[in-house]
């Protein structure tokens, strides 16, 4: 029989119960609406249909129960009058007293209720869980109360400012500023993602979106113009769009002065539709006029490849090369496909995996990528966090790379996050050798939580550990305030430059004004661990290479030319005068001198745009206030000296500048895969790795995988 208790303990029977069974639970349905209901409203009305049901209240139950006991009570007539027998000459007080005594006896006797055993077991289990959860959650009551208090305060403050501030305010901007200020006090990776940012983050992690395959940006020289930075191979590039083209209209809508996100929305759309784009391309006309042309681009499901380049290196027998530039959903699948294609040739003896400038991505993608390289049943990475718990990710698939194929992984200071997971697994399991420079050192794990209104919250939930048990996080973050801020050296530098000459924001991503406290892990606090074969590795500072190979840092002139867009715009001018590039194209002396003249035409503006100028202006104003005229003159002389030094860099760093200029010009004629392949000719770190793999049948490679000889104890 189904049953339920009201809030005040009154017992009700449901109206004409009809049993149903769902997952082993005995349920009952309302006669009026046939809907499952256990509890009924006070007074006998069903909660669902609001109509009276066949209910026996407690009083009627009591009388019925006493009637069942009447034969026993008849026997008491010999010893005295029966208070319930009609016609007994009893006072009203005596009657009430007898009723009360019978009621007490009724309550003292157990009431037998038939309950199905499965329901009893389930109720017991659920009740136990509830009690455990209740007890475990009890300590958080104070915290929850505090949270509700702060949320209410934020609501009051935001409401008062929106309605009462002297000038109208942007509610969205005000809210995001408040949230960014809160999250910015934790670490640089905890961020609130608004509508556009959340969508872009989803595109980056999935690696797919409906669009035309263009990378666009605002022009450095004319910010109101939208220029093409990159036309993807297999998409817009195949339709004739090139880097340097200016977007004039999209489906007849002029885009000059339009925000970049709005232009992006016009270009993207439902796959299978078409969009007409009007472009302007530079010409050699004396008046500087541009050539206008229209291109009809099909919107497709654009896939951003994690592996943009792979293949066998011609001049080295049996050596393959794979560049892995990101860790989106398909990273592991693309890496396996590249390895399988090279293995099928039967010539693969060694592999170079290039993880330089790879900022990372999805944890699952990193695990799948490592599975293609390390033995089955190997531990790849583990994660730990206060709410995350501890999880160990194992390789449960056979690797694509044969065990007898030598492996070198290339890293640099911009190899981060998921890329470090792969490099750490390869190193700790002694599957290969790391060549290059120390990696960025990001050992934190973020979770992306979807929020209402198409927004998201990305926040740090734990740390990850390589198979040897080390955490390679190089910076310790601590909650700060608006008045305290400290940035580690790795985060206060200038934007770095990828091999294609593109200026890329420095890691980690900016999150407004940083208010978190951060300190680098001191060398003295770094602990030692052992790899599978006993080699010594350390935590707290990224992945250190087994063989260090460095490249010359970009000169001040290179940075000036890149930030000023000199390579980009000169390449536009040069490409306007020719129809194609020769196969053996290089920047010869004649072309290099032409580039110098182009740059020096605008040398007068260098004084205002060098990174030294802000400091010099501060000194100038300070000297002016003090009346130090001679000091001001010395600063002017210093400015001229800086410009002279920059000009001399054309000779001191000619090779590096020629390489960047060649790559920028190739971008106007060749797809990305050919351009990246051509750039490998100048890659010093790659050359070091190739020598390590091939000289004396890889003897040096094998030595690096052996543990260092232990110092004898005396």
């Amino acid at each position: 029989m189904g049953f339920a208790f009201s809030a005040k303990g009154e017992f009700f029977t449901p109206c004409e119960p009809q049993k149903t069974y769902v997952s082993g639970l005995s349920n009952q349905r309302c006669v009026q609406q046939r809907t499952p209901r256990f509890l009924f409203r006070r007074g006998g009305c069903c909660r669902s249909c609001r109509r009276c049901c066949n209910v026996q209240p407690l009083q009627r139950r009591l009388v019925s129960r006493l009637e069942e006991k009447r034969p026993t009570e008849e026997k008491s007539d010999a010893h005295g009058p029966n208070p319930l027998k009609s016609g007994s000459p009893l006072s009203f007080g005596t009657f009430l007293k007898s009723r009360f005594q019978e009621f007490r006896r009724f309550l003292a006797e157990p009431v037998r209720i038939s309950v199905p055993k499965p329901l009893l077991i389930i109720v017991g289990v659920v009740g136990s869980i509830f009690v455990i959860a209740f007890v475990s959650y009890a300590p958080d009551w104070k915290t929850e109360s505090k949270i509700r208090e702060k949320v209410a305060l934020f609501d009051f403050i935001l409401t008062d400012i929106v309605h009462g501030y002297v000038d109208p305010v942007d509610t969205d901007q005000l809210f995001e500023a408040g949230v960014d200020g809160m999250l910015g006090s934790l670490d640089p990776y905890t961020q609130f993602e608004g509508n556009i940012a959340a969508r872009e983050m989803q595109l980056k992690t999935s690696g797919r979106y409906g669009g035309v395959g263009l990378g666009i940006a605002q022009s450095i020289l004319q910010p109101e113009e939208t220029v093409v930075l990159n036309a993807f191979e297999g998409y817009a590039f195949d339709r004739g769009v090139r880097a340097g083209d200016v977007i004039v209209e999209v489906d007849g809508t002029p885009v000059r002065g339009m925000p970049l996100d709005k232009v992006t929305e016009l270009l993207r759309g439902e796959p299978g539709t078409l969009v007409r784009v009007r472009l302007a391309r530079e010409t050699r006309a004396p008046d500087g006029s541009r050539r206008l042309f229209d291109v009809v681009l099909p919107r497709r499901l654009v896939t951003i490849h994690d592996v943009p380049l792979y293949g066998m290196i011609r001049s080295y027998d049996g050596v393959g090369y794979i560049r892995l530039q990101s860790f989106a959903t398909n990273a592991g699948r693309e890496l396996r496909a590249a390895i399988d294609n090279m293995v099928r040739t039967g010539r693969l003896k060694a592999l170079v995996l290039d993880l330089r400038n790879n900022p990372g991505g999805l944890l699952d993608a990193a695990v799948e990528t490592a599975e293609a390289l390390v033995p089955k049943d190997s531990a790849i990475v583990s994660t730990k966090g206060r709410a995350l718990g501890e999880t160990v990710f194992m390789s449960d698939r056979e690797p694509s790379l044969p065990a007898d194929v030598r492996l070198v992984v290339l890293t640099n200071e911009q190899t981060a996050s998921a890329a470090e997971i792969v490099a750490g697994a390869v190193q700790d399991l002694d599957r290969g050798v790391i060549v290059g420079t120390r990696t960025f050192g990001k050992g934190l794990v973020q979770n992306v939580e979807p929020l209402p209104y198409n927004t998201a919250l990305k926040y740090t939930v734990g740390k990850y550990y390589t198979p040897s048990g080390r955490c390679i996080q190089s910076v310790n973050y601590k909650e700060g305030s608006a008045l305290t801020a400290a940035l580690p050296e790795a985060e206060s530098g200038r934007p770095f430059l990828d091999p294609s000459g593109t200026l890329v924001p420095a890691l980690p991503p900016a999150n407004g004004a940083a208010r978190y406290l951060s300190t680098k892990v001191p060398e003295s606090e770094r602990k030692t661990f052992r790899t599978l074969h006993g080699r010594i590795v350390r935590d707290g500072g990224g992945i250190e290479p087994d063989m260090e190979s460095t490249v010359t840092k970009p000169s001040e002139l290179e940075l000036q030319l890149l930030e000023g867009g000199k390579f980009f715009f000169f390449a536009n001018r040069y490409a306007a005068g020719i129809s194609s590039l020769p196969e053996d194209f290089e920047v010869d002396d004649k072309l290099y001198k032409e580039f110098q003249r182009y740059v020096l035409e605008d040398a007068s503006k260098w004084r205002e745009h060098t990174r030294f100028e802000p400091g010099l202006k501060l000194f100038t104003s300070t000297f002016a206030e003090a009346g130090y005229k001679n000091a001001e003159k010395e600063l002017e002389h210093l400015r001229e000296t800086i410009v002279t030094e920059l000009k001399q860099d054309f000779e001191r760093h000619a090779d590096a500048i020629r390489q960047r200029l060649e790559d920028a010009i190739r971008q106007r004629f060749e797809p990305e895969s050919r351009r990246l392949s051509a750039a490998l000719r100048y890659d010093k770190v790659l050359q070091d790795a190739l020598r390590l793999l091939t000289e004396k049948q890889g003897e040096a490679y094998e030595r690096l995988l052996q543990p260092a000889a232990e110092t004898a104890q005396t």
Side-chain angles (χ1 to χ4, degrees), residues 664-680:
I665 293 174
R666 285 183 177 275
Q667 196 174 19
R668 272 68 183 166
F669 298 93
E670 297 177 350
E672 183 181 27
S673 58
R674 287 186 60 185
R675 183 171 57 84
L676 293 176
S677 179
L680 294 179

Side-chain angles (χ1 to χ4, degrees), residues 548-568:
E548 189 166 1
S549 177
T550 60
V551 294
T552 304
K553 291 185 177 180
S555 64
E556 185 63 31
L557 176 60
E558 288 178 70
L559 295 174
Q560 286 290 122
L561 296 176
L562 281 159
E563 292 179 0
K566 299 302 180 182
F567 295 114
F568 186 87

Side-chain angles (χ1 to χ4, degrees), residues 15 30-35 37 39-53:
C15 51
C30 170
V31 174
Q32 303 298 332
Q33 292 194 353
R34 308 297 189 207
T35 55
R37 290 291 172 192
L39 298 178
F40 292 81
R41 290 174 55 82
R42 180 182 176 92
C45 292
C46 174
R47 284 186 177 182
S48 178
C49 63
R50 306 285 179 170
R51 295 180 62 178
C52 291
C53 302

Side-chain angles (χ1 to χ4, degrees), residues 220-497:
I220 297 176
L221 298 182
Q222 301 184 51
E224 68 276 5
E225 291 186 342
T226 301
V227 298
V228 176
L229 286 182
N230 189 20
F232 296 169
E233 184 177 359
Y235 300 94
F237 183 90
D238 296 355
R239 297 279 175 158
V241 183
R242 296 291 181 268
D245 291 342
V246 177
I247 299 178
V248 179
E249 295 179 358
V250 177
D251 274 340
T253 302
V255 299
R256 185 177 180 85
M258 184 179 292
L260 200 61
D261 59 308
K262 298 296 183 183
V263 180
T264 301
E265 288 182 10
L266 291 176
L267 291 171
R268 290 178 181 168
E270 191 68 26
T273 59
L274 300 176
V275 57
R276 180 179 294 276
V277 182
R278 172 159 291 185
L279 301 165
R281 182 171 296 172
E282 190 169 339
T283 66
R284 288 291 185 96
D287 60 354
S289 60
R290 298 167 173 172
R291 177 173 66 91
L292 295 176
F293 63 100
D294 291 346
V295 177
V296 177
L297 301 174
R299 292 188 178 101
R300 298 163 54 192
L301 196 60
V302 178
T303 300
I304 304 173
H305 292 290
D306 297 290
V307 178
L309 177 66
Y310 75 90
M312 304 297 293
I313 300 178
R314 293 178 184 175
S315 54
Y316 290 84
D317 182 42
V319 180
Y321 173 87
I322 299 176
R323 182 178 182 185
L324 185 61
Q325 66 181 5
S326 57
F327 282 88
T329 306
N330 295 323
R333 194 175 303 117
E334 290 186 22
L335 180 68
R336 281 186 177 271
I339 294 174
D340 291 342
N341 286 337
M342 289 186 285
V343 168
R344 279 195 291 268
T345 64
R347 298 186 296 111
L348 185 64
K349 301 176 184 177
L351 176 66
V352 177
L353 177 62
D354 195 346
L355 294 181
R356 290 173 296 176
N357 302 322
N358 187 322
L362 299 175
L363 175 61
D364 290 343
V367 173
E368 291 179 10
T369 298
E371 281 183 323
L373 305 172
V374 303
K376 185 181 178 182
D377 298 326
S378 300
I380 294 174
V381 67
S382 61
T383 58
K384 297 178 185 178
R386 185 166 62 96
L388 188 65
E390 181 175 357
T391 305
V392 179
F393 295 86
M394 305 289 294
S395 173
D396 57 4
R397 300 174 60 185
E398 293 292 341
S400 295
L401 189 68
D404 59 345
V405 174
R406 295 186 289 274
L407 174 63
V408 166
V409 178
L410 305 183
T411 63
N412 65 3
E413 63 277 5
Q414 298 300 332
T415 301
S417 189
E420 291 177 289
I421 291 178
V422 174
V426 169
Q427 187 178 58
D428 283 7
L429 298 173
D430 292 307
R431 179 58 188 90
V433 171
I434 310 299
V435 174
T437 57
R438 183 189 295 187
T439 62
F440 182 79
K442 180 180 180 294
L444 304 178
V445 181
Q446 280 74 46
N447 180 46
V448 179
E449 183 74 23
L451 298 177
Y453 313 111
N454 298 319
T455 60
L457 174 65
K458 183 176 71 172
Y459 61 105
T460 302
V461 294
K463 295 181 178 180
Y464 71 77
Y465 300 81
T466 65
S468 66
R470 55 180 170 147
C471 177
I472 53 89
Q473 177 66 22
S474 61
V475 178
N476 292 324
Y477 296 106
K478 185 179 180 181
E479 183 182 2
S481 66
L483 300 179
T484 56
L487 290 173
E489 296 176 9
E491 297 168 23
S492 59
R494 305 176 70 174
F496 75 91
L497 307 164

